[in-house]
Each structure stands twice: as C-alpha cells, then as structure tokens.
Amino acid sequence: MNNNTKKVTPINKPLKGNFKVPSDKSISHRAAMFASLVHEPVLISNFSLGSDCLSTLSVLEALGVKIEFQSKNSLIINNKEGFKEPKNILDAGNSGTTIRLMTGILAGHDFYCVLTGDESLRKRPMARVISPLKEMGANIWARDNDTKAPVSIKGRKLQGINYNSPVASAQVKSSILLAGLHSEGITTVKEPVKSRDHTERMLEYLNANIMEQGTKVTIGASELVSKPITIPGDISSAAFFLVAGAIIADSEIIIQDVGLNPTRTGIIDVLKQMGAEIEILNQRVDCNEEIGDIKVNYSNLKAITIDSEIIPRIIDEIPIIAVAATQAEGTTIIKGAEELRHKESDRIKAVYTELKKLGAEIEEQPDGLIIHGKTKLKGGCTLETYHDHRIAMSAYIAGLIADSPIEINEFHWVNISFPEFTGILDKLSF
Ligand code: S3P
C-alpha cells in the first residue's frame, strides 16, 4: 500500500451526531478575490482552508495583496495599493474557480501575467472564458489555440459586453462579470439555466452596481466597499454526509450552519424526491446568503430521473448522488450532465468505472449515467480518484456500505476541499 492509499472498512453502526462541514469553497474564493478589489482592509471569517482556496490566496499574494490570518479561519485581506505585476507565473493548482475568475479580473488590470495550474487544470476548457473576454477587448493568449492553460494576459481597459453564454457555468458568468466591473459601459450575461449566484450576491453585498433578473445579470463599473464577510458551511461537502446519513441504516445526523443558497440546494431536492427524510432547521440570512442546519435520517430510497434543468444546482453532487442511486429501488437516470466531463476529472467516466468495480449496475451515457438499484456493493477492490476530491469522497462513502474492505489510491485529493472528511466520519460512527 503506498502512502496515499486509504483503506475503507465497511461500517456496521449508524452515523449519529451534530457537526459542521468546512466553509463553502465557492464563496471563500470569491470573498478573497472581491476583498482584494476593495481599497480598504476586509475581514473574512470562516474561510475554507482546503487547498483550492489556499491556491487563490497564494495567487493574490503574488499580486501584492497582504493577507493576515487573525485566527485559524479568519483573515484580513488588504490591497490598499492595488494589484502589482507578479514576478513569476501564478499557480492556480487544481482550482478551476481560481483560474477562470482571476482571468476575468486580471484581463482589466494594466500589467502582464501568466496563470497556470496542475495536470488536471491544464486539461480543462479555458476558451469558454477567453473568447468572451477577447470580445471585451482583452489581450489573452493560451496554449492549444487559446483553449487551455497556461494563459497569459496583458491587461488593458475593457468594453462592456452583452453575452449569451452557451453553458450554464458560474465560473464563466463570474469571469465576465468581474471583467465588467472594470469595463467601460454595461456588461450583461445571460445563461441557458441559472448557475450558482454567489458572485452576484457578494458583489451586491459589497455595494456593486449589479442586477439579477432570472437567468440574466447586468453589471456596471463599481467601487466596492469594505464589509465583514462570513462564509457558511459548504453544501457540496455536506452532500457526502446527507447521502451517508440516508443510506447507512438507522443514522440520524444534523449538519450545522450550511449555506442554503437556492442555486446550490438541488441535492436536498433530489434526495427528498428519492424519499430521504430531510429537514431544514434554523434558517436565516447572513451576508446576503441563506444558511441553516440540515437534519437527515436513514430512509428507503427510490429511483428518480434527473434532467438538465436541475443539473447546475447539483453540478458538484452528481458523483455522490450516483452512490445514493445504487441504494435506491429502481432505475435512476441522470441526463443533460455533459458538463461533468469537464470537471477536475471526467466525472461521468470516473463514477461509471469506479462504481462498476464495486458491482453497481451502471451504464455510461454521453451526457450522464443510468443506475439500476438496489445493489449490495462488493468490496475487495482498489478504487482510483483521478486527481478529483469529489471522486475520492464518493468512493469512500461507497466503501462504507460495501460487503468487505476496499482501498482508494491517492486519497490525498480529499484535501482540495475537505481535509477533515474522515475525522468527522470516524466521530459520527464512534
Ligand atoms: C464553481 C462553479 C461550478 C462548480 C465548481 C465551482 C464556482 O462550476 O462545478 O466546483 O465556484 O463558480 P461551473 O458552474 O462553472 O460549471
């Protein structure tokens, strides 16, 4: 067994307890980036310490931003003097949000820089942000005919754009809106289906000139103001426990202070539709984001059909929904999810390959998966993680309900968003 191989022993007890998940990754990235656009210090509390958000902090530091930790998860971002030309290449690591949003921000700043990332990030599509940014007048070049990182930028004044995005992608939408924040005129982005709207909500909270109307968002040049930002727990991390609680016999867990932005709560709708017993407690609003506690009890699940309308609201949860579907009575169909092929890994292929090894009755489709349940998963195999934290955690939950132990190679990818993942599981099943 190499250092990164994790053994998972099937669980023979229910999960019980109250706990918190790490801070929302999407909102943490935005908090750090947007705070750097304010000309006064900004206090951020409950920042995510997963390595993706640390990549954002190190990119900002290389651009001259001062970052001072006050305690483990709270920090002050100070960019009073504005970004400076970085002396070296900026490394976004494994993080699509870092590279795509920073490309939009840096396109409008008057200096030269290069953004790159790890092997997985350098395979992911960049043309989806580069081409609209070029339409705004940006000077951007990228590998493989302007489609892949490394991306080099010579920042300049941009022009607003009216952009009809072919994909429902919060990273694309945010990249253009952030460029629009420093452009002449108005920028409008329209999506085929609304993607997560953390950018819009946080920019509005910081007094930007921004308006959301259904699937359309409009922004004009704005001066952001300093306000404290508190980050809620990440519903995409909570999702692994929502499914574990629903499929491990007699479990009852409460996950506290989770972000419940309606553009992210598709996992709750899907699990409820599958018959899971889920309740929301203490719902409230903080820093323009809904937040609350989620209670889940073990339930008998039934298969459902999931199609394109809801996909953007469950885009990061489909691997763990597929694990739930192996335990649901009937045939679950997931379609309209081709975007999954462009994530940290090709998640359609990864989920199909790994669940198949566990004996799941699963079919791969160009735009999704078909899963016939309910199947007792079998252990005795070694699963792969494909440089993908969500595949690692989905594999782990599947291992908990297999009939014998499994091993997971390169499990360290979990640290991208959830370093405390196995520690929490151990406490809940103690
Ligand atoms: C993210 C948006 C989603 C999601 C990713 C984080 C963001 O991607 O998959 O993990 O922070 O904006 P797209 O909406 O771009 O598909």
Side-chain angles (χ1 to χ4, degrees):
M1 197 192 287
N2 74 39
N3 275 344
N4 289 325
T5 301
K6 184 89 185 163
K7 182 169 176 182
V8 190
T9 308
I11 197 165
N12 54 13
K13 284 183 192 166
L15 301 178
K16 298 266 179 197
N18 294 12
F19 62 101
K20 291 187 185 184
V21 286
S23 326
D24 192 278
K25 190 158 81 68
S26 283
I27 304 180
S28 294
H29 284 299
R30 288 161 172 78
M33 291 177 196
F34 303 175
S36 305
L37 301 175
V38 179
H39 296 295
E40 275 179 75
V42 177
L43 171 65
I44 305 175
S45 306
N46 202 34
F47 188 80
S48 162
L49 298 178
S51 27
D52 260 10
C53 294
L54 298 181
S55 293
T56 287
L57 293 187
S58 76
V59 164
L60 294 173
E61 269 184 323
L63 288 160
V65 178
K66 305 218 169 30
I67 299 170
E68 197 187 307
F69 273 87
Q70 304 282 294
S71 64
K72 191 169 169 240
N73 294 86
S74 77
L75 57 145
I76 292 180
I77 301 262
N78 185 343
N79 194 23
K80 265 187 179 165
E81 287 160 29
F83 292 132
K84 299 195 179 56
E85 181 169 280
K87 295 195 174 65
N88 206 341
I89 290 173
L90 302 167
D91 186 0
N94 192 247
S95 174
T97 305
T98 308
I99 200 164
R100 298 208 178 99
L101 271 58
M102 287 307 301
T103 299
I105 290 175
L106 292 170
H109 283 81
D110 183 20
F111 51 74
Y112 175 73
C113 62
V114 180
L115 282 151
T116 192
D118 71 6
E119 194 187 323
S120 142
L121 191 59
R122 281 182 276 113
K123 287 187 193 143
R124 296 180 62 186
M126 285 301 292
R128 50 180 59 198
V129 296
I130 293 175
S131 73
L133 291 171
K134 281 188 161 183
E135 274 185 53
M136 298 175 82
N139 285 320
I140 306 187
W141 302 265
R143 187 172 59 85
D144 204 0
N145 221 1
D146 288 346
T147 63
K148 307 262 163 53
V151 175
S152 59
I153 304 168
K154 178 79 182 75
R156 55 174 294 204
K157 189 81 194 156
L158 304 177
Q159 287 297 326
I161 187 182
N162 195 338
Y163 190 63
N164 245 327
S165 178
V167 277
S169 158
Q171 292 176 353
V172 171
K173 173 177 62 177
S174 302
S175 184
I176 301 165
L177 292 174
L178 289 164
L181 198 57
H182 293 109
S183 298
E184 266 168 25
I186 298 293
T187 292
T188 299
V189 183
K190 188 165 175 355
E191 299 184 279
V193 180
K194 188 180 169 80
S195 64
R196 63 188 66 187
D197 65 355
H198 303 302
T199 294
E200 297 87 311
R201 284 166 178 253
M202 193 179 291
L203 287 176
E204 185 189 66
Y205 174 70
L206 299 174
N207 280 16
N209 179 9
I210 185 164
M211 195 172 65
E212 271 189 81
Q213 275 176 306
T215 55
K216 196 167 103 176
V217 192
T218 303
I219 195 164
S222 317
E223 214 29 67
L224 304 184
V225 300
S226 171
K227 285 189 188 170
I229 303 173
T230 303
I231 320 273
D234 197 328
I235 191 162
S236 298
S237 300
F240 298 99
F241 292 92
L242 294 178
V243 168
I247 64 179
I248 295 172
D250 301 327
S251 296
E252 176 169 313
I253 54 181
I254 297 181
I255 315 172
Q256 295 160 323
D257 301 340
V258 184
L260 294 173
N261 177 317
T263 60
R264 297 285 298 283
T265 49
I267 179 68
I268 296 176
D269 299 345
V270 162
L271 286 174
K272 277 189 170 169
Q273 220 190 321
M274 293 174 87
E277 217 182 290
I278 295 186
E279 221 183 310
I280 305 294
L281 312 164
N282 299 321
Q283 195 160 353
R284 58 212 186 265
V285 174
D286 191 12
C287 299
N288 224 8
E289 289 280 354
E290 283 91 343
I291 171 168
D293 304 342
I294 315 176
K295 180 170 175 229
V296 61
N297 283 75
Y298 169 68
S299 326
N300 284 319
L301 299 185
K302 58 177 196 303
I304 59 167
T305 294
I306 296 174
D307 51 34
S308 43
E309 242 344 83
I310 196 174
I311 297 296
R313 295 180 60 234
I314 51 169
I315 191 71
D316 291 334
E317 288 68 71
I318 293 171
I320 193 61
I321 289 173
V323 174
T326 68
Q327 303 310 301
E329 215 55 70
T331 299
T332 295
I333 301 172
I334 302 172
K335 52 187 178 193
E338 49 280 286
E339 268 298 299
L340 284 196
R341 297 203 183 268
H342 306 297
K343 296 295 171 185
E344 286 85 330
S345 67
D346 174 344
R347 286 186 176 154
I348 295 179
K349 186 156 278 327
V351 168
Y352 165 76
T353 310
E354 301 312 303
L355 286 182
K356 189 98 186 149
K357 287 183 192 165
L358 291 163
E361 279 190 49
I362 184 164
E363 296 167 42
E364 179 183 356
Q365 301 289 304
D367 66 339
L369 295 159
I370 298 177
I371 300 161
H372 308 279
K374 169 178 186 175
T375 311
K376 179 75 202 161
L377 299 181
K378 55 181 194 317
C381 53
T382 301
L383 304 188
E384 303 299 330
T385 55
Y386 306 84
H387 299 201
D388 189 331
H389 54 133
R390 302 205 198 278
I391 299 298
M393 291 184 274
S394 302
Y396 196 99
I397 301 295
L400 291 180
I401 55 160
D403 63 7
S404 60
I406 62 160
E407 284 182 0
I408 305 176
N409 277 333
E410 304 213 311
F411 189 72
H412 68 282
W413 286 102
V414 69
N415 296 326
I416 287 290
S417 61
F418 205 163
E420 314 86 337
F421 177 73
T422 54
I424 293 181
L425 269 170
D426 292 345
K427 278 195 196 134
L428 294 176
S429 57
F430 184 68

